[in-house]
Amino acid sequence: MRLASYLLERDEAEGLADAIQTERETHYASHGTWPSVAMLTRVRSNQETYAEALRERGIPVEVVGLKGLTETPEVQDIIATLTVINDPGRSDSLMRLLAGARWRIGPADLMALNDYAEYRAKRRAYAIQHQLPADFESEDGSKESDRGFASDTGEIVESASLIEALHNLPQPGWVSKAGRTLSEAAHRRLTRLKEELTYLRSLANEDLPTLVTEIERVLGLDIELLARPYAHEASARRHVDAFMDLVVTFEAAQEAPDLTAFLEWLSIASDHGGGIEQAPEPATDGTVQILTVHGSKGLEWDVVALPGMREGDFPSDRATNWVTDVSEFPWPLRGDRDGLPQFTALEDPQQWVENQRDLTDLNSLPSSSKKKKRVPRNTRPP
């Protein structure tokens, strides 16, 4: 057992990664096989910090659980692409693609694209209000409708959409009233991205596994994952394959699965667990598995790391509050309370006596008859 203290979380991640690397190499040198290794955290929010420190040392990593899975960079790119082709109002998802390593659209070009989105939104709102054709050709700022922001128009338009602006790019040289314009390099990249998204949107009605597979191919994720300097062929696709398993599971469970339903399910399940997080088998290929302490119950590894063991934090001494935490909601107030097990022994001793009598009667029956009678197992003595 080793104990270490660190001032910053990043320092702790670096120290744990070094210690795990030493343990792995020592075990392999003496046994000829990789040890099973796990890192158990209290919460999922900091798992990617530890995962990145391990990846930097060439150690394969698996982030276990849906929440951790959807926060890995490659899976986030897939989800962002699915969201963009499904909902034209999700500019936040498009921003991940635009500012990512693949397209590398800089801040100045992002501001110019946002100006054009505002320009289109205001011109469209003005056209609707006055029942006129929308004018997207004249210079920005040349009309009274170009003042303010698109959101100022109230119910006519909620906000400017970067996705709409991407699919209706301005002519090269267009200048916003703020004096911003898209660079030639950005205009070329945005045109290519528009073509890719248009193609993927044409597949939106295909079955979900086919769509996700095509997104992976178009984004070049298979090549990118293997090209990482710390990538291992056996584990490089681990998270993408795990996400594909989720897609297949969802589609098999739905009578009429569609992209909108899948994204809604994914969001809810990711935020609240959804009952789909399953404990993994300890990896035998040297992969370090990162998961929550709660998800590790009943499992064993050769090497286990426990980061973040601070007084008051791990274990936590924070009081629960059912107003802010749905998992703490009192069962008597739930709409389905009549169908839940009734733990009444502490409140009604007579109920416990009756249950004990039922248990005594059951024990006196022949073994072949016991299977036919249901025993109340949800009560306990006061």
Side-chain angles (χ1 to χ4, degrees), residues 124-145:
R124 183 176 60 251
Y126 181 85
I128 294 174
Q129 285 178 330
H130 297 84
Q131 299 182 356
L132 297 172
D135 176 14
F136 299 127
E137 301 298 331
S138 59
E139 182 180 351
D140 186 16
S142 62
K143 294 188 175 183
E144 184 178 352
S145 61

Side-chain angles (χ1 to χ4, degrees), residues 325-345:
D325 186 355
V326 67
S327 64
E328 299 294 334
F329 195 78
W331 68 265
L333 302 180
R334 290 174 51 151
D336 60 348
R337 59 185 176 275
D338 293 336
L340 297 175
Q342 304 298 309
F343 294 89
T344 57

Side-chain angles (χ1 to χ4, degrees), residues 252-325:
Q254 304 294 316
E255 293 184 1
D258 59 39
L259 181 54
T260 300
F262 172 70
L263 291 173
E264 291 176 353
W265 171 82
L266 189 64
S267 177
I268 295 173
S270 177
D271 291 340
H272 302 289
I276 61 177
E277 182 172 348
Q278 299 178 352
E281 290 295 327
T284 58
D285 61 353
T287 298
V288 177
Q289 296 171 300
I290 302 179
L291 63 160
T292 61
V293 173
H294 177 75
S296 68
K297 293 179 179 178
L299 300 178
E300 294 182 358
W301 290 270
D302 298 320
V303 180
V304 176
L306 296 172
M309 294 190 69
R310 296 179 291 271
E311 184 177 359
D313 189 23
F314 187 5
S316 175
D317 60 359
R318 298 172 185 171
T320 59
N321 185 350
W322 64 267
V323 176
T324 58
D325 186 355

